[in-house]
Amino acid sequence: DDVHPPQAPLGRALRRWRVLHRIKQADTAERFGVAQSTVSRWESGVQAVVPAGDLPLAEEFVGASGT
């Protein structure tokens, strides 16, 4: 699906976690070491969430999204 690439569920989970915990995109970006616009692209599914080396940190957010 061209509109929602495979990374989209991870981006949606990141957004859900961020909104539930009232964390701004800018703060999330700082934690990942990226620009706020990158977090926006992750959440919209436009860009893959993280390079493979940062996957454990992404999984931390996804795991936390269920709590």
Side-chain angles (χ1 to χ4, degrees), residues 10 13-14 17-18 21 23 31-32 49-50 54-67:
L10 190 56
L14 176 60
W17 177 86
R18 190 178 58 72
H21 293 88
I23 297 174
R31 175 148 185 175
F32 277 98
V49 173
V50 290
D54 292 334
L55 191 56
L57 185 56
E59 290 172 345
E60 173 187 332
F61 281 96
V62 174
S65 70
T67 58

Side-chain angles (χ1 to χ4, degrees), residues 2-5 7-15 18 25 37-49:
D2 291 337
V3 177
H4 295 95
Q7 299 84 10
L10 190 56
R12 284 193 301 265
L14 176 60
R15 176 170 168 73
R18 190 178 58 72
Q25 279 186 345
S37 58
T38 300
V39 174
S40 177
R41 288 191 295 269
W42 290 345
E43 291 182 353
S44 66
V46 171
Q47 182 177 335
V49 173

